[in-house]
Amino acid sequence: MAATDTHQAIEAVFRIEQARLIAGLARMVRDVGLAEELAQDALVTALSEWPRTGVPEKPGAWLMAAAKRRAIDRFRRDRMLARKHAEIGRDLEDERDSGTEAIEAAIDNDLGDELLGLIFAACHPVLSREARTALTLRLIGGLTTDEIARAFLSSEPTVAQRIVRAKKALGKAGVAFEVPRGRERVERLASVLEVIYLIFNEGYAATAGEDLIRPALCAEARRLGRILAGALPEEPEIFGLLALMEIQASRLAARTAPDGSLVPLTEQNRARWDRLLIRRGLAALDRAEALGGADGPYALQAALAACHARARTAEETDWPRIAALYDRLRTVMPSPVVDLNRAVAHSMAFGPEAGLGLLDAVERVPALRAYAPLPAARGDFLFRAGRLDEARVEFERAAALTRNARERAFLLGRAAACGG
């Protein structure tokens, strides 16, 4: 294997293993910043050794062992606690079977999943909502600082500072990276659900890069949602989020054409929608509503997705109901993005002029000035209203704002369709 190919393989393995690596290390060293440094050290070691020795049979285990060795060196150098040194040393020396490891993990983490446990641990109340969400998206979701900034409609330096401060705050507070239980767990649930949903969203519509979707992120978010639903079966918002992700994921295969280009919702081949995922999503939505969570933000969004899932053709979509659901959602979860989506729904239900009227207020929100979906929506409304010259300008503006190559190509195609 050529050196370039080996380096690409190493980077691919690290992207897959990074979150679990950091999760395991954080449990041992009780410091999320140090855990991230050790994981990066392991990557550097792999980049040095694997081109000579080849990619090992179990690369994840190799990276963990390398990170643990670096931890031992650091503990020795810094004269940290001998107990912690011995603890990590035993992990390296003992050959334990997977059954024993599973039992030990269950003792420390009754959720049974190390990644989900780390999300709960990192969503600590010592941090602000924005800080803990940004931190967990960086560590567990594997999102770049730029991707997180765009998810928050914020600047990259602001998010970078937020993550640094979050790590320092956790270290200063002496937070033990343990899974909370009882009331403390419930108090962190909203932040955990937000993190999982933002991970899913990055997979459903990638912020940047050549690929429109990142299915692995969607699959991981859904997996975490299912584990949560099993662990906390009486929490309606968990089922609302799970319903939303299952129904949205059902459309992934139809969202892109064979060449990777974007296929809008109204033009998708609905025969390619995954009916099993839709049934799972509708069942989860029924469960959320039965638990009294019909007006929860995730349940309402799932109900919106269900309107599309139940329509056999795009023409049968119940847009007036979708518009009414958005009216309810904006009172439960007020945000400029919800207002933008509400304008889209009203434009589909009551005509493009209705949507243009609602956009006037949305455009005054500073956070949306560089948000590509806003001019894209205006361009669509203008196009459907027959105002093609104005529509072309908006589509071109949206194309200049997006960081995703596939989305940019789609928007430029719409601009070209306006003529002129």
Side-chain angles (χ1 to χ4, degrees), residues 55-244:
V55 178
E57 185 178 346
K58 296 181 178 179
W62 191 100
L63 288 168
M64 179 60 82
K68 288 177 180 177
R69 291 190 187 98
R70 294 290 295 177
I72 290 173
D73 292 343
R74 185 181 289 260
F75 289 141
R76 282 175 176 158
R77 184 175 64 248
D78 298 342
R79 296 183 179 179
M80 295 184 74
L81 294 175
R83 180 184 62 80
K84 189 62 65 178
H85 174 195
E87 211 172 85
I88 295 177
R90 283 196 300 273
D91 282 347
L92 274 177
E93 294 164 5
D94 295 342
E95 290 292 333
R96 298 174 299 182
D97 60 48
S98 59
T100 303
E101 290 176 349
I103 292 170
E104 290 181 354
I107 292 171
D108 291 337
N109 178 359
D110 66 313
L111 293 173
D113 185 86
E114 203 159 54
L115 279 183
L116 190 55
L118 182 57
I119 293 176
F120 266 101
C123 285
H124 196 281
V126 74
L127 303 178
S128 68
R129 168 188 164 274
E130 293 82 3
R132 57 186 179 241
T133 305
L135 177 62
T136 46
L137 283 174
R138 178 74 185 91
L139 298 180
I140 289 86
L143 275 63
T144 65
T145 308
D146 177 53
E147 290 166 347
I148 298 167
R150 293 179 76 83
F152 277 110
L153 302 179
S154 184
S155 70
E156 189 172 352
T158 298
V159 170
Q161 291 173 5
R162 194 175 290 163
I163 292 171
V164 170
R165 286 197 298 267
K167 292 176 185 175
K168 289 181 178 177
L170 290 176
K172 186 177 180 180
V175 172
F177 278 80
E178 298 169 351
V179 180
R181 297 172 186 258
R183 180 179 176 182
E184 189 179 359
R185 176 180 296 178
V186 173
E187 289 172 348
R188 300 189 195 184
L189 183 59
S191 293
V192 171
L193 293 179
E194 182 179 20
V195 168
I196 292 173
Y197 187 42
L198 288 172
I199 292 171
F200 178 87
N201 268 348
E202 181 59 30
Y204 189 77
T207 303
E210 295 296 320
D211 298 321
L212 184 69
I213 60 176
R214 298 167 66 181
L217 282 180
C218 290
E220 181 66 4
R222 286 164 44 225
R223 185 186 71 83
L224 294 172
R226 289 171 185 157
I227 293 172
L228 263 184
L232 300 168
E234 302 302 318
E235 292 291 337
E237 272 295 81
I238 295 176
F239 287 93
L241 174 58
L242 184 57
L244 175 59

Side-chain angles (χ1 to χ4, degrees), residues 269-299:
N269 177 1
R270 299 189 178 213
R272 298 189 67 198
W273 289 5
D274 190 320
R275 307 313 299 185
L276 175 59
L277 289 183
I278 290 174
R279 287 196 296 273
R280 284 179 177 173
L282 295 177
L285 178 57
D286 288 343
R287 176 66 176 161
E289 292 174 346
L291 290 169
D295 283 324
Y298 295 116

